[in-house]
């Protein structure tokens, strides 16, 4: 079932790319495996999935040891500063940086390991009270300040769009994030690229791809409904 779901998502990404004359290779599918057991992750892995997203530090730590070493881990959830040290050398990309204090902690922990940590700035484009992220208006100032950190590399932006029944309702959200990334890119800040746009989830990733997403985060569409009791 998981492999079939994976193929279906991959085909939909390809189809969405074709509609806007994009190459499907430009889009990375992140299999969002939060709350799922390693056995299910391995099923996806055996179907070709190599990039997995988790929103809890503990799950990354547990699964990092249990999964093959060529898996690429992405931290996509809200990250507490006191937990940065546990994943700083385990994840390929942190999607959810939304404050100077968090960026400072990442800088400090990355310096200790002598690595450069790629991050995305989380933008709450829809300004939902229940979501983390900086506002559209605050984003550039945050980028400008973090750009001075030698062990942090800003690679783009991320957003979690509102839950909607009709994915078209989020098209403007994705369009605005894309425009924001283009605007920031044009300023040529040191240590900053806007090569990554992480946007779109199970319900709306096809629209996100059409609007320029380079990473989509799909969990339910691959693994089925999540069990939040565990």
């Amino acid at each position: 079932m998981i492999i079939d779901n994976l193929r279906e998502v991959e085909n939909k990404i390809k189809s969405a790319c074709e509609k806007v004359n994009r190459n499907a290779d430009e889009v990375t599918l992140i299999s969002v495996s939060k709350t799922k057991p390693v056995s299910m992750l391995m099923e996806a892995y055996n179907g070709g999935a190599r990039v997995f997203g988790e929103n809890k530090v503990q799950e990354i730590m547990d699964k990092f040891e249990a999964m093959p070493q060529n898996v690429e881990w992405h931290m996509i959830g809200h990250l507490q500063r006191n937990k940065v040290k546990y994943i700083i050398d385990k994840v390929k990309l942190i999607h959810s940086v939304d404050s100077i204090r968090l960026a400072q902690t990442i800088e400090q922990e990355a310096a200790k390991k002598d690595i450069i940590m790629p991050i995305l700035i989380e933008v709450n484009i829809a300004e939902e009270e229940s979501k983390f992220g900086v506002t559209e208006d605050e984003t550039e100032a945050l980028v400008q300040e973090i750009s001075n950190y030698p062990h942090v590399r800003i690679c783009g932006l991320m957003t979690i769009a509102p839950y909607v029944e009709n994915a078209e309702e989020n098209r403007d959200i994705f369009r605005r994030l894309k425009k924001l990334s283009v605007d920031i890119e044009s300023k040529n800040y040191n240590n900053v690229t806007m090569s990554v746009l992480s946007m779109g989830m199970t319900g709306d990733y096809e629209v996100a791809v059409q609007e320029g997403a380079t990473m989509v985060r799909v969990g339910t569409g691959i693994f089925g409904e999540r069990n939040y009791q565990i």
Side-chain angles (χ1 to χ4, degrees):
M1 180 193 84
I2 288 174
I3 291 178
D4 291 342
N5 291 346
L6 194 60
R7 293 290 167 270
E8 184 180 353
V9 172
E10 288 168 347
N11 288 334
K12 285 181 175 178
I13 289 172
K14 188 177 177 186
S15 175
C17 284
E18 286 170 355
K19 285 181 180 171
V20 291
N21 294 316
R22 291 186 70 193
N23 187 328
D25 292 342
E26 296 172 16
V27 182
T28 298
L29 170 59
I30 300 172
S31 300
V32 177
S33 46
K34 57 187 182 182
T35 79
K36 296 300 182 184
V38 168
S39 59
M40 292 181 77
L41 274 69
M42 279 307 302
E43 203 174 325
Y45 179 90
N46 291 333
R50 293 294 181 272
V51 184
F52 291 85
E54 292 285 344
N55 71 338
K56 287 196 165 67
V57 166
Q58 189 62 52
E59 281 202 75
I60 290 175
M61 291 169 64
D62 293 344
K63 292 172 181 175
F64 183 87
E65 299 299 334
M67 291 289 288
Q69 289 303 295
N70 65 340
V71 164
E72 189 176 293
W73 296 100
H74 289 231
M75 178 63 192
I76 60 173
H78 181 64
L79 180 56
Q80 294 170 296
R81 287 181 297 130
N82 64 346
K83 293 187 176 174
V84 169
K85 61 189 173 189
Y86 299 116
I87 60 160
I88 195 75
D89 56 350
K90 292 181 173 64
V91 298
K92 174 87 173 190
L93 182 64
I94 297 172
H95 289 234
S96 46
V97 177
D98 60 356
S99 72
I100 283 294
R101 293 176 75 201
L102 176 56
Q104 286 170 341
T105 302
I106 293 170
E107 166 65 28
Q108 290 161 4
E109 296 299 334
K112 288 178 191 174
K113 298 280 188 182
D114 195 26
I115 59 174
I116 296 174
M117 187 70 234
I119 67 164
L120 304 179
I121 303 300
E122 181 173 357
V123 187
N124 186 355
I125 288 270
E127 298 193 19
E128 292 183 279
E129 288 187 13
S130 61
K131 301 261 174 73
F132 293 103
V134 292
T135 66
E136 206 169 337
D137 292 339
E138 294 167 337
T139 304
E140 190 173 340
L142 183 62
V143 167
Q144 195 170 0
E145 187 155 353
I146 296 172
S147 71
N148 297 312
Y149 296 176
H151 296 90
V152 177
R153 170 105 1 102
I154 297 176
C155 298
L157 306 177
M158 179 269 241
T159 198
I160 301 173
Y163 176 77
V164 291
E165 293 291 338
N166 177 5
E168 284 296 329
E169 292 177 36
N170 280 337
R171 190 176 290 277
D172 184 57
I173 297 288
F174 300 139
R175 201 166 274 169
R176 282 164 60 191
L177 193 73
K178 172 67 175 177
K179 181 182 183 301
L180 182 59
S181 76
V182 170
D183 289 348
I184 292 171
E185 181 87 80
S186 71
K187 304 293 174 62
N188 290 316
Y189 292 116
N190 286 334
N191 214 19
V192 175
T193 68
M194 285 286 129
S195 57
V196 177
L197 266 186
S198 172
M199 59 187 193
M201 302 195 296
T202 293
D204 55 18
Y205 65 88
E206 292 165 90
V207 172
V209 167
Q210 289 170 16
E211 294 301 332
T214 67
M215 290 183 178
V216 294
R217 311 178 304 271
V218 180
T220 304
I222 295 171
F223 296 105
E225 294 296 330
R226 278 188 286 277
N227 177 9
Y228 285 102
Q229 305 311 121
I230 60 173

